[in-house]
Amino acid sequence: MKYEKIIKWVLAALFVLGVVISLYGFVVGFETNGNSAVDVLLYCTYAYAGIALLAVLTGVVVIGGINNPKTLLKLLIGLVVVGAIVAVAYVLAPGTPAVGYLGEPVSDSTLKLTDTVLNLTYVAFGASIVALIVGWVVGATRK
């Protein structure tokens, strides 16, 4: 079975679905059904992210596990490491209110979650910079 053809048709179907949802929203009007354009696009994004996650899980767990069962152990170790990083980011998040914010009060859990996401963003940015530098050094030394 040709996986390239399956991927090509799935991507085409997702593209058509996105165009149809967008056109439907603009023709019918986003505000008539209580949703703004941003809400509709966010729901579409959630659906795409769910489909992508399902495809990755199927490909990694099922197909990778069948081909090489050791990959499942590596996957489990990777998930534990990611969970530990998220837990450390959550523990380090202060959860303090925004300075100068005059809007409605925000719950402590929302502030903590927001600070956790910011910490994870900083960690991902730092890791990408380190990966670029290591990649350049390794590439330069192998030549």
Side-chain angles (χ1 to χ4, degrees), residues 78-91:
L79 287 175
V80 168
V81 168
V82 169
I85 292 171
V86 171
V88 167
Y90 182 79
V91 168

Side-chain angles (χ1 to χ4, degrees), residues 15 36 65 106:
F15 177 74
S36 68
V106 181

Side-chain angles (χ1 to χ4, degrees), residues 40-124:
V40 173
L41 293 176
L42 280 175
Y43 294 144
C44 189
T45 302
Y46 296 153
Y48 285 167
I51 291 169
L53 185 62
L54 183 67
V56 168
L57 286 176
T58 302
V60 169
V61 174
V62 175
I63 297 173
I66 290 172
N67 291 338
N68 186 4
K70 290 183 181 180
T71 59
L72 296 178
L73 180 63
K74 292 179 184 178
L75 177 67
L76 181 63
I77 292 170
L79 287 175
V80 168
V81 168
V82 169
I85 292 171
V86 171
V88 167
Y90 182 79
V91 168
L92 294 178
T96 55
V99 176
Y101 178 71
L102 301 174
E104 295 181 21
V106 181
S107 69
D108 292 337
S109 62
T110 301
L111 291 171
K112 185 88 167 169
L113 181 64
T114 302
D115 289 344
T116 301
V117 171
L118 283 172
N119 287 344
L120 289 172
T121 303
Y122 299 148
V123 167

